[in-house]
Amino acid sequence: MLRKNKYIIFILLLITVIAFCFDILLGSVSIPIGEALKIATGSTKANPTWVTIITEFRIPKAITAILAGSALSVCGLLMQTFFRNPLADPYVLGISSGASLGVALVILTTGTIGGKLFIIGSIIGRISITVAAGIGAAAVLFIITAFSKRISSNVTLLILGLMLGYIISSIESVLKYFSAPENLQGYIVWGMGNFGNVIWQDLVLLIPVVLVGLLSAFLLSKQLNLLLLGESYASSMGANIKLTRLLIIIIAGILGGIITAFCGPIAFIGIAVPHLTKSIFNKYDHLLLIPFVALVGSGLALICDIISQLPGSDQVIPINVVTSLVGAPVVIWIILQQKKIKHSSFME
Amino acid sequence: MNSQNEVLKVNNLTIGYKGKKSLKNILLKDLELPVDKGDLICLLGPNGSGKSTLLRTIAGIQRPLKGNVLIDGKDIFTLDRKLLAQKLGVVLTGNADTANIPVNSIVSMGRFPYNNWLGMMRQEDLKKVDEVLNITGLEKYRNKNMSELSDGIRQKVMIARVLAQDTPVILLDEPTAFLDIPAKLEIMHMLRTLVRESEKSVILSTHDLEMALQSADKIWLITKDSIVSDTPEDLALNGYFERTFNTGDVEFLPGKGIFKMSYTGMLKLKVTGNELVVFWTEKALERIGITVTYENNYDGELIITANNHEKEWLLKLGNQERMFDSIAKLLAFLSRSSINNSQ
């Protein structure tokens, strides 16, 4: 069993490393592989434009894809275990809605000039979007944690998160309705997700936050395992449910919130990767699942990013289009697969 | 009663649910129930009388409205949760949704109150899991996923998990519901053996009075808003079961220790013959509303002759005499004639 898993881990690591390299080598500007490798390994003798593209744009983007993939996938796993619902994802608590509202307020309420700023992607525009999204996500997280102390049922909490999402998106609709077309375009572009907006300075914040979030999730493994049998059983086996709840919500909120703030809402990674990982490893233990999920999430996010660059063309499609096109079939395939397993075991 | 042996005490406990404002929905009040080491206690009571609530309260999952529960003299609601989990284990009612977890892992969860904050299994934890899988006979299923197993085996796995938790007190909420009779008996036998051999105290709720009468050291019988605690035999002799369970349609037979659906039969038959065949014939007759009597005041007579090869039922009713070679034919005839009678 373990040996088989070791091979799988090795293959997954290999895929991730290769995907990371391809993500740097491929893009809308075609750079010869030899040159690209030289630049990536620190040579500055090459074409200065290419150097800038690779060191300032593609490498941070690839790192962001890894961070986003692992953070959203682990966040999705936490939510699925916590709510004992296979359809839960990083956004069920309404955190991405909060981020979206923050961004909507910034982009849609500034004048036309502001709108143009955001489309072009100026530094001020970029920073204010990230901060607004972060504040929006944090506000929702705060509301949810405040309620979670009073609400004992997870289902109620789930419904609360969903309803909060509806309220927020209706406010957004009002904002959209009254805003200028240029601004609307900026907002829609943000909503399609993008790993490429992150620069080195952002990574200084993004890397430690995601790593701490992932590590904290890992340290909760035992509690998460207990929760697989439900809260009553978990409590009967010594888990402190109130504290565990609060920690899960905060960790998931921070992981989901910070990625949404920097990359926009990224669809399907958070829901698909935990299922995909479980079907590869057939493991329940979070002590193993969390690192595996982070690995699979990183790899999948990189692959989606490569596809979104449409290698060989100078066009780019939004990352969310790719994650949905890859993620939805994965979820469908897994669900059908599971059904098959159940049926065959009935036949025996 | 020897207080040296007492492991758990339900102390002046009132349970139920807090309603709106000051209204309380009290299920059971002022309960005083001691639990001794090595007791197998069956909690009996009608649906909705508070069996699950009581067990959940004793387990510390739900707060009482008043009073407390002491384990080794300490209040379970102030005791550290991990420490409590080393003293008291629970199997809840219904199937936990455990779809794709292997048996081995579920049982290992029982060791979580003992191992470190990451839940790493130590040598002694693994040994305990092996031991439990062995005594519950689940060894061969250890790598199977829960979704591949039958209800009975799944329930056994949940019980194995609580055994791995190795607590002096074990609570089980309807552990034999939804199981067929052999699986039911097997689980009760397992618990009975456990209590005898390891001096654990087991409290379980059940609907099955006959099974409780067979296996319990003590019965906690829910009557209205309180609980009577006594040996099953004393409760039966003092008429508690009739008072609690008798409705118009069902009655408890203290002489046999079973329940019976009570029909008011119009026809009274005297049945004689081979004891075993009489027993089953009687059951069949009662089902269609015919009373079997051993007194001399009867409407007809049924004489059974049976040997290894064939059985015959001779029915003498009024001036008629008829012979049947199976209970089915006998019943068919009697049903028809009783319809004729009532017309």
Side-chain angles (χ1 to χ4, degrees):
Chain A
M1 256 327 234
L2 255 175
R3 198 180 219 174
K4 195 181 123 206
N5 282 339
K6 268 181 196 159
Y7 285 124
I8 300 174
I9 293 167
F10 177 73
I11 292 167
L12 286 175
L13 269 174
L14 199 69
I15 292 174
T16 309
V17 171
I18 293 170
F20 183 79
C21 296
F22 272 103
D23 201 28
I24 291 167
L25 297 177
L26 301 171
S28 43
V29 176
S30 75
I31 301 170
I33 289 178
E35 291 292 308
L37 277 177
K38 267 190 216 159
I39 298 165
T41 50
S43 163
T44 48
K45 283 176 199 162
N47 179 338
T49 321
W50 291 353
V51 174
T52 314
I53 287 175
I54 289 192
T55 59
E56 296 302 317
F57 186 72
R58 287 191 190 169
I59 293 178
K61 183 169 66 89
I63 295 175
T64 308
I66 289 179
L67 293 173
S70 52
L72 292 176
S73 308
V74 169
C75 185
L77 176 67
L78 291 187
M79 292 293 98
Q80 287 173 7
T81 301
F82 179 58
F83 289 118
R84 308 183 77 204
N85 186 332
L87 290 177
D89 68 5
Y91 305 130
V92 282
L93 292 175
I95 286 155
S96 79
S97 313
S100 303
L101 181 62
V103 173
L105 282 171
V106 170
I107 301 183
L108 300 179
T109 56
T110 48
T112 13
I113 304 156
K116 272 177 191 150
L117 270 179
F118 293 122
I119 294 165
I120 296 159
S122 76
I123 290 174
I124 305 166
R126 208 181 51 74
I127 291 175
S128 49
I129 286 178
T130 307
V131 171
I135 291 173
V140 170
L141 183 58
F142 180 76
I143 295 171
I144 293 282
T145 41
F147 271 103
S148 83
K149 284 177 195 158
R150 293 191 190 176
I151 296 172
S152 57
S153 150
N154 281 352
V155 178
T156 316
L157 200 64
L158 189 68
I159 294 169
L160 182 84
L162 289 173
M163 291 305 120
L164 210 60
Y166 281 123
I167 294 170
I168 291 171
S169 59
S170 71
I171 299 174
E172 274 172 38
S173 300
V174 173
L175 285 173
K176 278 191 231 166
Y177 186 74
F178 288 109
S179 64
E182 297 91 335
N183 295 3
L184 206 53
Q185 197 191 348
Y187 178 68
I188 290 169
V189 168
W190 177 83
M192 286 175 168
N194 191 352
F195 294 144
N197 271 341
V198 178
I199 55 171
W200 283 107
Q201 283 93 317
D202 298 336
L203 287 176
V204 173
L205 176 68
L206 198 53
I207 291 174
V209 171
V210 169
L211 286 184
V212 168
L214 293 178
L215 186 68
S216 318
F218 179 73
L219 296 182
L220 274 182
S221 293
K222 180 173 172 174
Q223 268 66 28
L224 289 164
N225 284 344
L226 287 175
L227 279 176
L228 288 174
L229 294 188
E231 288 197 15
S232 295
Y233 270 121
S235 148
S236 87
M237 286 183 279
N240 182 339
I241 294 298
K242 275 189 179 168
L243 182 67
T244 307
R245 261 161 87 103
L246 194 65
L247 288 174
I248 290 176
I249 292 172
I250 290 174
I251 294 169
I254 288 175
L255 284 175
I258 194 153
I259 296 301
T260 312
F262 281 102
C263 309
I266 305 292
F268 263 108
I269 295 269
I271 184 170
V273 171
H275 290 293
L276 187 60
T277 312
K278 282 177 196 164
S279 79
I280 296 173
F281 291 102
N282 190 22
K283 283 283 175 211
Y284 90 100
D285 187 353
H286 287 77
L287 218 51
L288 301 170
L289 260 187
I290 288 176
F292 292 171
V293 161
L295 177 61
V296 175
S298 305
L300 193 66
L302 282 168
I303 292 169
C304 288
D305 192 46
I306 295 172
I307 298 171
S308 82
Q309 303 301 320
L310 295 177
S313 81
D314 54 0
Q315 292 289 317
V316 173
I317 50 172
I319 188 73
N320 268 346
V321 174
V322 184
T323 53
S324 303
L325 282 178
V326 173
V330 164
V331 174
I332 293 170
W333 174 71
I334 288 163
I335 289 168
L336 294 178
Q337 202 72 6
Q338 278 175 350
K339 221 171 189 180
K340 218 196 263 169
I341 292 165
K342 266 187 191 159
H343 274 288
S344 64
S345 69
F346 264 118
M347 303 295 284
E348 280 165 18
Chain B
M1 224 167 267
N2 189 352
S3 65
Q4 281 281 301
N5 263 335
E6 192 175 289
V7 283
L8 187 123
K9 179 151 180 60
V10 171
N11 196 5
N12 190 24
L13 193 74
T14 297
I15 60 163
Y17 293 88
K18 277 181 193 154
K20 280 173 185 164
K21 291 179 184 163
S22 61
L23 278 174
K24 282 175 185 171
N25 186 3
I26 292 176
L27 285 167
L28 297 166
K29 61 182 181 188
D30 308 326
L31 304 175
E32 293 279 351
L33 300 162
V35 178
D36 285 345
K37 202 189 262 183
D39 263 354
L40 177 67
I41 297 172
C42 284
L43 174 59
L44 286 170
N47 278 331
S49 57
K51 292 193 296 288
S52 289
T53 313
L54 178 63
L55 288 181
R56 290 172 65 86
T57 311
I58 296 176
I61 297 170
Q62 189 173 334
R63 293 230 152 229
L65 295 175
K66 206 182 80 190
N68 54 22
V69 179
L70 303 176
I71 191 154
D72 288 343
K74 292 180 203 93
D75 186 350
I76 59 161
F77 288 100
T78 55
L79 202 65
D80 175 61
R81 286 226 68 92
K82 204 167 162 174
L83 236 105
L84 178 62
Q86 296 178 5
K87 291 178 185 289
L88 192 147
V90 191
V91 175
L92 298 165
T93 182
N95 267 327
D97 182 18
T98 48
N100 283 321
I101 310 177
V103 168
N104 193 22
S105 306
I106 297 255
V107 178
S108 300
M109 286 183 186
R111 298 307 297 168
F112 283 7
Y114 300 93
N115 57 28
N116 69 7
W117 48 275
L118 268 181
M120 305 284 259
M121 297 289 280
R122 300 161 303 165
Q123 206 57 46
E124 55 183 294
D125 296 325
L126 295 171
K127 217 178 111 195
K128 187 77 203 175
V129 171
D130 282 344
E131 183 194 317
V132 165
L133 286 173
N134 200 10
I135 58 168
T136 50
L138 291 170
E139 203 98 81
K140 52 180 177 268
Y141 303 108
R142 72 182 301 155
N143 292 319
K144 290 243 185 218
N145 282 350
M146 288 292 266
S147 56
E148 301 170 72
L149 305 172
S150 68
D151 286 343
I153 303 286
R154 250 185 275 183
Q155 185 62 281
K156 256 186 158 180
V157 174
M158 295 313 283
I159 293 174
R161 183 201 52 82
V162 88
L163 296 185
Q165 205 173 328
D166 201 13
T167 53
V169 181
I170 298 173
L171 308 179
L172 306 105
D173 195 358
E174 298 201 24
T176 57
F178 315 115
L179 300 185
D180 59 16
I181 292 168
K184 240 180 214 184
L185 291 175
E186 201 184 348
I187 281 182
M188 288 309 290
H189 176 73
M190 196 170 93
L191 293 172
R192 193 63 256 185
T193 316
L194 183 80
V195 166
R196 199 183 311 126
E197 284 173 6
S198 58
E199 287 227 299
K200 288 180 188 300
S201 308
V202 172
I203 306 172
L204 66 95
S205 67
T206 178
H207 282 292
D208 197 331
L209 177 63
E210 289 168 45
M211 197 185 66
L213 290 175
Q214 275 184 43
S215 48
D217 293 311
K218 245 197 258 171
I219 284 182
W220 289 358
L221 182 67
I222 298 182
T223 55
K224 272 193 188 158
D225 57 0
S226 190
I227 289 182
V228 187
S229 162
D230 216 328
T231 59
E233 296 75 16
D234 282 322
L235 287 173
L237 290 176
N238 293 327
Y240 275 104
F241 295 123
E242 286 116 297
R243 258 173 277 159
T244 312
F245 293 108
N246 280 9
T247 59
D249 303 329
V250 181
E251 59 179 323
F252 180 70
L253 303 179
K256 289 184 178 172
I258 56 166
F259 283 103
K260 205 191 91 176
M261 283 185 262
S262 49
Y263 295 111
T264 41
M266 295 179 292
L267 201 63
K268 281 187 186 167
L269 285 183
K270 182 179 174 182
V271 184
T272 49
N274 176 298
E275 199 180 339
L276 182 68
V277 186
V278 169
F279 172 77
W280 289 104
T281 308
E282 200 178 319
K283 268 183 178 281
L285 292 177
E286 279 173 356
R287 192 165 68 233
I288 61 166
I290 291 172
T291 312
V292 174
T293 178
Y294 301 100
E295 291 151 22
N296 281 326
N297 163 32
Y298 50 82
D299 307 314
E301 223 178 328
L302 187 62
I303 299 153
I304 297 168
T305 47
N307 57 41
N308 286 341
H309 304 292
E310 37 180 42
K311 294 178 260 313
E312 279 176 341
W313 287 260
L314 177 66
L315 179 68
K316 294 180 183 171
L317 196 58
N319 49 12
Q320 277 189 47
E321 253 184 55
R322 282 186 84 118
M323 197 71 123
F324 302 95
D325 59 2
S326 77
I327 292 182
K329 285 176 188 159
L330 172 69
L331 290 190
F333 173 77
L334 284 170
S335 318
R336 243 189 344 261
S337 67
S338 68
I339 290 167
N340 292 341
N341 281 355
S342 60
Q343 279 169 348

